[in-house]
């Protein structure tokens, strides 16, 4: 998505009530690498966005109908 001029990649995580691991913690370093690789693929396919700043967010949904948006949840290499 675009947040003004910033290209934002969003990982959405759902957690049932009582889950011990938070949604943000569930976005492990391995998952972060896959998201970053996907972002790089996207930029390769859509070069018109190559000059944009990028951000990686996490949105957490819980079984209690709670939504939490975590902007800049993690950093990509070189960003």
């Amino acid at each position: 998505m675009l947040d003004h001029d910033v290209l934002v990649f969003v990982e959405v995580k759902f957690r049932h009530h009582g889950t011990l691991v938070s949604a943000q913690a569930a976005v492990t370093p391995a998952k972060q690498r896959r998201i970053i690789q996907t972002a790089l693929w996207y930029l390769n396919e859509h070069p018109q966005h190559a000059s944009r700043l990028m951000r990686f967010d996490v949105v957490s949904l819980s079984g209690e109908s709670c939504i939490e948006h975590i902007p800049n949840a993690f950093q990509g290499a070189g960003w």
Side-chain angles (χ1 to χ4, degrees), residues 34-69:
R34 287 193 299 273
I35 294 168
I36 292 165
Q37 288 172 344
T38 301
L40 294 173
W41 172 86
Y42 181 85
L43 290 175
N44 188 54
E45 294 294 314
H46 301 276
Q48 69 271 24
H49 295 294
S51 64
R52 293 186 187 275
L53 294 175
M54 287 192 293
R55 188 176 83 214
F56 296 95
D57 293 4
V58 172
V59 172
S60 170
L61 308 171
S62 76
E64 303 158 342
S65 301
C66 179
I67 300 172
E68 180 183 9
H69 175 220

Side-chain angles (χ1 to χ4, degrees), residues 3-56:
D3 182 7
H4 301 281
D5 289 333
V6 178
L7 184 60
V8 182
F9 294 89
V10 182
E11 177 70 6
V12 179
K13 291 300 218 183
F14 176 79
R15 290 288 173 251
H16 293 283
H17 177 69
T19 302
L20 296 178
V21 177
S22 72
Q24 187 173 9
V27 183
T28 63
K31 180 68 173 180
Q32 292 175 23
R33 283 191 296 276
R34 287 193 299 273
I35 294 168
I36 292 165
Q37 288 172 344
T38 301
L40 294 173
W41 172 86
Y42 181 85
L43 290 175
N44 188 54
E45 294 294 314
H46 301 276
Q48 69 271 24
H49 295 294
S51 64
R52 293 186 187 275
L53 294 175
M54 287 192 293
R55 188 176 83 214
F56 296 95

